[in-house]
Amino acid sequence: MATDVVAQLADSLAKTQVTEGELSYKGQGRKFDNAQSVEEMVKEIQEFKGLQALRLEGNTYGVEAAQAIAKALETKSEFKYCYWSDMFTGRLRSEIPPALNSLGAALMTAGARLTLLDLSDNAFGPDGVKGIEKLLKSTACHTLQELRLNNCGMGIGGGKILAAALTECYKQSSAQGTPLGLKVFIAGRNRLENDGATALAQAFQLMGSLEEVHVPQNGINHPGVTALATAMQHNPQLRVLNLNDNTFTKKGAIAMAQALKHLRSVQVINFGDCLVRSEGAIAIAEAVTEGLPILKELNLSFGEITGEAALLVAQSVEGKATLEKLDLNGNCLGEECCDALREVMDGLNMGDLLGSLSDDEGEPDEDEEEDDYEEDDEDEDEDEEEDSSVNQVSSPPSVPQPPDAASFLCFPSPEKLLKLGTKRALLFEQQVDVADAGKTAEAFLKISSVYKEEDEEVKSAVLDSIDAILRKAFASPSFQGYNFVSSLLVMLGLLKSEDKVKPVRVVPGHLQALEYAVRQDYFPQEHIAVLEAFMSRHIQALELCSSARNILKSTLEQVRPES
């Protein structure tokens, strides 16, 4: 008998769990089709004094049932928490908007001031967002702190409607002196794509109050990621950023890294399965090195990151006393780099914080890279033939052309560099677009390729020229230094790029000029560790320049800032 009583009590508590101010029907798996089916629930809502939270999740409600519940909520002015996820299973999509409309209207009538609205796992699509549009724009949501819309199938259209509603709510609440201060936004698995994400980013930037953003699995590519990155810079209290399983590529990752440099409160970064790739990982590593003092978790798993870049990520967490986990699983490290990664983390006394590497994809296939470059060679050869034929027509060989910077950059030679005269540095400054980190890196390599240690005149001309270009570039606040460094590494064949860039043949002059540049006051110290990591690796492209590499490596060790 006692056992039966306990069982009945447990069953009763499971059906209606009441904490202070909360009435719960969570997870009962019941189907409420009409007003009669919810009579008991309606009575309990009406009789519950000081009702603040109502849990309806885990049941399914028809339009009439929702309208009856809504009627009971019209007098609940203290209401704050809507736990209304997974409440339309098996319903027609056309039933959901009127049901949501009635519930929202009741809260507005009651004069409620919401703190949390959870409508996750309802798969209501854009029409469902229309069902809560009026509620989101109303005074009931001026106090909203958490909005949970995970797995609702909003799509691009729903994302735009939601963004417009949040923007209107912010404007209306600001006009009344109490601007919307949304802290938590959750909208994973909604097919927002670039346009939906961009629309929401504009609303996020306006609000500036977000502490957690979760938008995994939304088909967002680099334009949408870049828009979100810009918005995050305007949310200084951001603690959690989860964009798992979207597609950053290099552009998106670099934009997000730039945003992270403006944020000091971030604790959790989840960019797993985001295809950040090596160049993006290097940019993120620099952001971690420079800031993020209370970082707890960094997830860059399954991002096609190669060994050298992964090692830089590991080195970037040095001194992060709050770190709990670094996840680099599923990348392209290879057994040797996996061991090196563990050694680095052990050396930082953080070995137990490194996640499993059991799903590592191994080192990238060099044959595939060579095939990519061969295809590029063919395209470039065709372009050169076309250019050559055009030049033959437009520039008769009997008319000599005066030396200029553009001509040198097309076909560098020591003689051409010297012929540019004493104004060569100014000519290069005018010719090279230093706002473009990639073009700046290309110009640096072209000029340094003619460096001659034994020829003082050529040597001086080279160093004066790269001095002028790099000083101007790094002096610009908008210049992306980490993009310059990664472009340099890609062009030297030390780092694989998603752009299938054909590497130049590394000559000693490249490394000798770089050795000079890193000793200058304009060269940012935060890029030293990146260069040092690559110069310390056994990379075939550097073998023929071992002397120049050793000198550069030694200099990098000397100028490296102390931890």
Side-chain angles (χ1 to χ4, degrees):
M1 177 67 71
T3 303
D4 291 339
V5 171
V6 172
Q8 289 172 4
L9 178 60
D11 183 59
S12 176
L13 288 171
K15 289 181 179 178
T16 308
Q17 297 176 13
V18 182
T19 59
E20 185 178 356
E22 178 181 294
L23 186 57
S24 177
Y25 302 92
K26 179 181 178 180
Q28 296 181 13
R30 297 173 64 185
K31 187 177 182 181
F32 300 102
D33 293 324
N34 49 43
Q36 185 178 358
S37 65
V38 292
E39 279 182 355
E40 183 180 346
M41 186 186 300
V42 167
K43 184 179 179 182
E44 289 177 346
I45 292 171
Q46 290 172 334
E47 293 177 352
F48 197 114
K49 294 182 180 180
L51 181 66
Q52 295 184 28
L54 179 61
R55 290 188 172 274
L56 298 176
E57 66 263 54
N59 303 291
T60 178
Y61 303 83
V63 176
E64 288 186 19
Q67 289 171 340
I69 294 170
K71 189 68 177 174
L73 288 172
E74 288 182 353
T75 60
K76 304 301 176 181
S77 60
E78 298 177 45
F79 196 78
K80 296 180 180 180
Y81 305 96
C82 304
Y83 295 101
W84 295 349
S85 63
D86 187 22
M87 57 181 282
F88 296 115
T89 301
R91 300 292 172 182
L92 295 174
R93 182 169 288 188
S94 59
E95 294 181 81
I96 300 176
L100 291 174
N101 264 317
S102 60
L103 289 166
L107 298 177
M108 289 185 276
T109 300
R113 294 292 185 270
L114 296 184
T115 298
L116 180 146
L117 177 59
D118 185 359
L119 288 165
S120 298
D121 301 316
N122 278 312
F124 47 49
D127 290 342
V129 184
K130 291 178 182 178
I132 59 171
E133 186 177 9
K134 288 182 181 178
L135 173 64
L136 289 171
K137 291 179 178 180
S138 75
T139 55
C141 285
H142 286 187
T143 52
L144 194 64
Q145 294 185 16
E146 293 191 34
L147 180 58
R148 304 177 185 177
L149 296 169
N150 202 55
N151 191 30
C152 288
M154 289 189 289
I156 294 172
K160 289 182 175 180
I161 296 168
L162 177 61
L166 290 174
T167 300
E168 182 64 22
C169 182
Y170 178 81
K171 290 179 178 179
Q172 293 284 354
S173 59
S174 295
Q176 295 181 19
T178 54
L180 171 65
L182 190 68
K183 294 181 179 180
V184 178
F185 180 84
I186 302 174
R189 300 182 65 188
N190 270 291
R191 304 193 308 276
L192 294 171
E193 300 181 17
N194 290 331
D195 289 348
T198 300
L200 284 167
Q202 293 170 352
F204 296 162
Q205 183 167 331
L206 194 63
M207 291 186 289
S209 56
L210 289 166
E211 295 180 9
E212 293 188 29
V213 175
H214 303 261
V215 284
Q217 295 184 0
N218 268 293
I220 306 170
N221 299 326
H222 74 81
V225 172
T226 300
L228 288 170
T230 301
M232 292 307 102
Q233 293 184 39
H234 296 268
N235 287 266
Q237 300 307 312
L238 189 71
R239 294 184 296 104
V240 179
L241 185 56
N242 176 7
L243 277 87
N244 188 282
D245 201 8
N246 290 290
T247 307
F248 283 35
T249 61
K250 178 180 72 173
K251 291 181 180 178
I254 288 175
M256 197 57 75
Q258 183 64 26
L260 291 173
K261 290 187 176 185
H262 294 266
L263 301 169
R264 303 286 296 174
S265 301
V266 173
Q267 297 178 15
V268 177
I269 298 172
N270 187 344
F271 296 161
D273 206 12
C274 284
L275 213 63
V276 300
R277 295 197 169 121
S278 296
E279 292 166 278
I282 289 173
I284 292 169
E286 290 199 353
V288 174
T289 300
E290 293 177 26
L292 304 176
I294 56 173
L295 185 66
K296 289 184 177 180
E297 294 183 26
L298 176 59
N299 183 347
L300 296 178
S301 60
F302 298 94
E304 291 191 3
I305 300 169
T306 54
E308 289 80 7
L311 290 172
L312 288 170
V313 172
Q315 291 167 359
S316 74
V317 301
E318 181 177 5
K320 306 296 178 186
T322 56
L323 191 74
E324 296 175 0
K325 184 175 182 181
L326 172 63
D327 191 347
L328 288 166
N329 198 19
N331 284 298
C332 307
L333 310 185
E335 187 175 343
E336 182 182 338
C337 271
C338 282
D339 290 340
L341 191 59
R342 294 186 186 98
E343 287 178 13
V344 169
M345 292 299 286
D346 286 339
L348 298 175
N349 293 320
M350 292 180 168
D352 57 336
L353 306 184
L354 179 64
S356 169
L357 299 173
S358 60
D359 294 318
D360 185 67
E361 296 286 340
E363 294 184 69
D365 190 335
E366 291 184 7
D367 292 338
E368 290 181 8
E369 292 182 46
E370 289 175 4
D371 290 342
D372 291 339
Y373 295 139
E374 284 173 9
E375 290 174 11
D376 292 342
D377 285 345
E378 292 172 8
D379 294 338
E380 289 179 11
D381 289 343
E382 291 174 7
D383 292 340
E384 286 177 8
E385 286 175 11
E386 291 176 9
D387 292 342
S388 177
S389 62
V390 170
N391 289 336
Q392 288 173 9
V393 173
S394 59
S395 302
S398 58
V399 182
Q401 298 295 318
D404 60 78
S407 174
F408 170 84
L409 291 172
C410 287
F411 302 102
S413 72
E415 294 76 17
K416 282 185 179 179
L417 182 63
L418 295 178
K419 283 182 180 179
L420 291 176
T422 56
K423 292 185 178 180
R424 64 178 70 87
L426 178 61
L427 293 174
F428 282 125
E429 279 189 55
Q430 295 171 343
Q431 180 65 34
V432 179
D433 180 10
V434 295
D436 187 318
K439 290 179 180 177
T440 305
E442 185 179 6
F444 173 87
L445 293 177
K446 290 282 184 70
I447 297 169
S448 61
S449 68
V450 303
Y451 181 98
K452 290 184 178 181
E453 183 67 34
E454 68 281 1
D455 189 326
E456 283 298 327
E457 188 179 8
V458 173
K459 176 181 175 180
S460 178
V462 168
L463 297 183
D464 287 347
S465 300
I466 64 170
D467 238 353
I469 293 172
L470 294 187
R471 191 176 294 278
K472 182 179 178 182
F474 284 116
S476 171
S478 61
F479 186 69
Q480 296 182 329
Y482 48 83
N483 201 355
F484 167 79
V485 172
S486 63
S487 296
L488 208 59
L489 294 171
V490 166
M491 293 174 189
L492 289 171
L494 310 182
L495 178 65
K496 185 180 178 182
S497 170
E498 63 189 54
D499 299 327
K500 297 181 181 178
V501 175
K502 180 188 175 185
V504 301
R505 184 173 65 87
V506 184
V507 296
H510 292 142
L511 306 185
Q512 289 165 323
L514 188 56
E515 189 273 338
Y516 167 82
V518 299
R519 288 189 278 111
Q520 306 312 305
D521 57 1
Y522 55 73
F523 198 91
Q525 288 194 322
E526 61 263 27
H527 304 318
I528 299 297
V530 177
L531 292 172
E532 186 179 2
F534 279 86
M535 290 303 129
S536 299
R537 302 290 296 165
H538 295 292
I539 301 174
Q540 188 174 357
L542 299 175
E543 292 304 316
L544 296 176
C545 307
S546 57
S547 177
R549 179 181 64 171
N550 290 338
I551 294 171
L552 172 56
K553 183 181 173 184
S554 176
T555 299
L556 290 168
E557 290 173 356
Q558 292 171 20
V559 301
R560 178 181 58 198
E562 294 185 8
S563 305

